Amino acid sequence: MAPIHLLSIFVAFLASASASCLSLPPRTENTLVLVHTLFRHGNRTIEDNIYPTNPYGNESFYAPYGYYQLTKEGRKTEFKIGAALRERYGSFLGSEYNINLIDARSTVANRTKMSMLLVLASLFPPTGELVWNEDLLWQPIPYNTFDNDKELYGRKVCSNYKKAYKKLIKTDAVLEQLEPYQEMFDYVSEHSGLEIQKAKKASDLYVELLTQKAYGYPLEDWFYTYEKEMLRITMLSYRLMAGTTKLKRLSTGYFLRKVIEDTETRIVNPHSPTKLYLYSAHEKNIANLLVTLDLFDDALPAFGSYIIIEVHLIDGVYGFKFFYQNYKEAEPVLLTIPGCADFCPVETFKGIVSDFLPEDSYCELASADASSDD
């Protein structure tokens, strides 16, 4: 079905949904004051040929998209996120977009920028005066990107992150964890033609191979010999990326600090028009946040997975509710932060994550390479 038809159907759905209960129970709807949403981009093509002898590695196999770009399926995935947010928060946001209602931000990668456009398209199809083309029920909605984005790209733009990570993976404790995988490292290195001796290298290869498989091209038999081990090493790699207090501060701390600061701004200014903060990012953003909050379940964050951080005012107390949609369930799953309840008061949460909230100068800026993320 063409996108224009999808938009038309969605507008019809919106008209009926506005009179329904939506997916939030009345108490939640009545106490909701702000929403932060971090989502992964949609399905994409592979980064490059992955390994030298890959029979499906040439870029021509991924026409008309090219390497590292959002696919048709990925576009559908992201469009569904916006529709899900519209269904969940329709009465909270209202049907009409205005410039002060949301703050949308993406990393600088093409796939995340395109993902943001798709989420915004289904979240806010034009209504009334905002309909500018009767044949295209879509409206342009701006979003922001930043070259030195510490909130979303701390791993990439902070040179001291890289130093701290390299220090961690050379420790005896980590080297001991990697010992059981040595046979797998040697086998995969031999068959892929790549030098695979570290968790991150194995993890990056694993994710790329799954991406190729999801696109529709088969994998060579050697992949399946150690498939389970490659999954386990990928989960270990995610944990290592936020494996120390310093790594948590640099990979996720700036994002957490912004969520808290924006929430406190809303508390001080209860009539602020901003109701939704949107962040289009990557698999590792999702994993790093879950690891930092001690919520990671050793499952690969799927294309289009997302974390919702709702801010509620309940019995005079402002607090957070965390939800995770990794498509194991139909609806986002309510998470409980260790040391807190399902509803976590802002001050309690600040205490829990206080060690992970960095100062501005904590990040030693380096240049980011957006092309080499998940």
Side-chain angles (χ1 to χ4, degrees), residues 12 56 65 75-76 90 96 110 122 135 147 180 201 204 225 233 246 255 261 275 288 292 307 329:
Y56 300 99
Y65 308 110
R75 296 169 192 185
K76 293 178 181 178
E96 186 172 273
N110 286 342
S122 54
D135 296 321
D147 290 335
K201 292 272 284 188
D204 288 346
T225 303
I233 200 71
K246 185 169 188 175
F255 175 78
E261 288 176 348
K275 293 186 175 182
N288 289 170
T292 298
I307 295 173
E329 305 289 343

Side-chain angles (χ1 to χ4, degrees), residues 34-48:
L34 188 64
V35 179
H36 311 266
T37 302
L38 171 70
F39 59 90
R40 186 190 178 190
H41 60 76
N43 313 51
R44 62 167 174 84
T45 56
I46 60 175
E47 176 181 359
D48 50 32

Side-chain angles (χ1 to χ4, degrees), residues 298-317:
D298 288 316
L300 193 72
F303 289 121
S305 55
Y306 56 93
I307 295 173
I308 298 173
I309 306 173
E310 295 181 348
V311 182
H312 293 263
L313 175 60
I314 299 177
D315 297 328
V317 177

Side-chain angles (χ1 to χ4, degrees), residues 226-243:
Y226 285 101
E227 182 180 8
K228 293 181 180 178
E229 288 80 0
M230 290 188 75
L231 171 60
R232 288 198 291 269
I233 200 71
T234 298
M235 298 304 104
L236 173 60
S237 178
Y238 288 153
R239 292 188 178 278
L240 291 176
M241 284 190 292

